[in-house]
Amino acid sequence: MSGKLVGLIRRVLLCVLVSGGASSAAHAEPWLAVLRTSSPEDEALESRIRGQISDLPLVLRVDPGPEPGPNVVEQWRAVVALAERHQARAVIWFSHTQQALILHIAEPATRRMLVRQFQHADPPTTLSRSATAESAALVVRSALKALDARLPVGEPIEVELEPDVPPPPTPSPNREVAPWTLAVGWQASLDGNSPRGQQGLQVGLGWERGRLRARVLLLASLPAHLTDEYTRVSLSKHAAGVGVDAALLSTERFRLGAGLGAGVAGFLRSTASLVPAAEASPPRLTPTAYVSPELSARWRTGPVALETSVAVDVLAGAPTLTYQRAQSVVVRNQLWGVQPRLGLALVFGSP
């Protein structure tokens, strides 16, 4: 009976020893502390700290950079960020003044921080500074040893950090987009003689910025037929010009503009004789410069807008159609020197 009792006691002691050994091994698992160095003095302190903690089960990692934060909130935010970046339990850094060396040791997990101030001798000497550095390294050792033993170090930090919220997007400078637009439509110009005026295609390429618009305009008319008892004249008006206008009224859907254009118009005519006595002239193109004040109105309901325009082409020289009879010239048609023009077009592009 006594033999069985002795065997039971031995087994219990063995379990305790094994359990204690496992606990010691787990406790001796190295953990990490990070040291923020921001000056040559901090780099000198690092070597002293390493000498003091060489027997402790921890790894000291150095992270060069500025001291954490100018105030308590920013300081603690930087400490938490450092600990998360390195997966460290403790963060160590120093502050330096003319009169003192200030040690900070923070443990973000427990929200506690130790602050110790070491006064320099007055006046400070190399020997006194060395003694101050050694004292600070000893305090670091004591604090890290206490943390290793899971003991509280320092005072609680009463700082509430707001969750990191991405800042709102910074509005970009108010830059107005300058889009290109393409207008394709129909135009009709009254010349004073063509029964239905000069009608045909208009194409405009525009560039807009804010309230201003510049554009190139091309006009091409179908032949209009002027007939009398002697001849039949086919007359068409073509033009190329540039213009600038400004918005008098501009909303998301509507634009009312006024501007001025200038260019060159060409009147192309060909003549067919209706009686043997009349001799037809060969085809001829008569160019003339023009300027044209213009009003335009545009409605937009989507990617395509509808624009109507009213312009007046003031010609530098309007063509005159004549007959040659013996030694005299007989006027057949006198085109207007001021010709109203109407336009209707679809506008593609972003205004």
Side-chain angles (χ1 to χ4, degrees), residues 29-207:
E29 186 72 23
W31 52 278
L32 193 141
V34 60
L35 172 65
R36 168 55 65 90
T37 57
S38 55
S39 66
E41 291 86 349
D42 292 349
E43 295 171 3
L45 284 163
E46 175 202 346
S47 61
R48 291 180 181 268
I49 292 171
R50 289 192 183 278
Q52 290 291 343
I53 65 171
S54 58
D55 61 328
L56 298 181
L58 66 87
V59 175
L60 182 67
R61 184 172 296 168
V62 176
D63 186 320
E67 292 182 22
N71 55 58
V72 176
V73 174
E74 292 301 322
Q75 189 179 75
W76 191 253
R77 187 186 297 276
V79 165
V80 172
L82 270 171
E84 290 178 351
R85 186 189 314 156
H86 295 282
Q87 296 297 302
R89 274 183 53 193
V91 178
I92 309 164
W93 76 97
F94 296 93
S95 299
H96 301 270
T97 67
Q98 291 290 341
Q99 296 79 23
L101 169 67
I102 305 170
L103 165 68
H104 304 78
I105 302 178
E107 187 181 25
T110 60
R111 298 179 66 85
R112 301 179 74 91
M113 184 162 68
L114 172 71
V115 181
R116 289 288 183 270
Q117 184 168 303
F118 303 90
Q119 293 294 132
H120 295 307
D122 190 16
T125 62
T126 303
L127 186 60
S128 65
R129 286 186 178 275
S130 176
T132 300
E134 191 64 27
S135 300
L138 285 169
V139 172
V140 171
R141 171 186 169 81
S142 299
L144 295 181
K145 191 172 182 179
L147 290 176
D148 184 60
R150 305 290 181 177
L151 299 176
V153 172
E155 301 296 328
I157 296 296
E158 301 295 335
V159 174
E160 291 298 328
L161 296 181
E162 297 180 359
D164 288 336
V165 177
T170 304
S172 59
N174 233 349
R175 294 183 301 176
E176 293 181 339
V177 179
W180 291 92
T181 58
L182 175 66
V184 179
W186 195 256
Q187 55 88 22
S189 176
L190 302 179
D191 60 11
N193 288 267
S194 302
R196 298 181 181 177
Q198 297 287 338
Q199 298 188 40
L201 182 69
Q202 70 169 358
V203 177
L205 182 63
W207 183 84

Side-chain angles (χ1 to χ4, degrees), residues 189-191 237 267 311-313 315 335-341:
S189 176
L190 302 179
D191 60 11
K237 176 185 175 183
F267 292 86
V312 178
D313 296 335
L315 305 175
L335 303 186
W336 289 349
V338 177
Q339 300 183 0
R341 174 165 46 86

Side-chain angles (χ1 to χ4, degrees), residues 203-346:
V203 177
L205 182 63
W207 183 84
E208 296 186 34
R209 187 184 185 100
R211 291 182 173 270
L212 295 180
R213 175 175 67 171
R215 62 176 178 166
V216 176
L217 190 64
L218 302 177
L219 306 173
S221 297
L222 298 174
H225 301 294
L226 309 178
T227 304
D228 63 8
E229 57 184 317
Y230 301 109
T231 59
R232 181 182 183 186
V233 176
S234 295
L235 179 67
S236 58
K237 176 185 175 183
H238 311 282
V242 295
V244 177
D245 67 7
L248 304 177
L249 176 63
S250 181
T251 66
E252 183 179 355
R253 296 184 178 275
F254 179 75
R255 182 184 189 274
L256 178 65
L260 185 67
V264 176
F267 292 86
L268 179 63
R269 68 178 183 265
S270 62
T271 306
S273 177
L274 300 180
V275 295
E279 183 178 350
S281 299
R284 181 180 178 185
L285 177 66
T286 304
T288 181
Y290 74 90
V291 294
S292 57
E294 180 177 325
L295 285 174
S296 63
R298 184 174 68 198
W299 294 268
R300 178 170 293 278
T301 57
V304 179
L306 180 66
E307 180 170 288
T308 182
S309 60
V310 179
V312 178
D313 296 335
V314 182
L315 305 175
T320 301
L321 308 183
T322 62
Y323 290 123
Q324 182 72 38
R325 287 183 180 175
Q327 301 300 319
S328 63
V329 175
V330 179
V331 175
R332 183 188 192 281
N333 299 98
Q334 176 67 57
L335 303 186
W336 289 349
V338 177
Q339 300 183 0
R341 174 165 46 86
L342 305 176
L344 184 64
L346 294 177

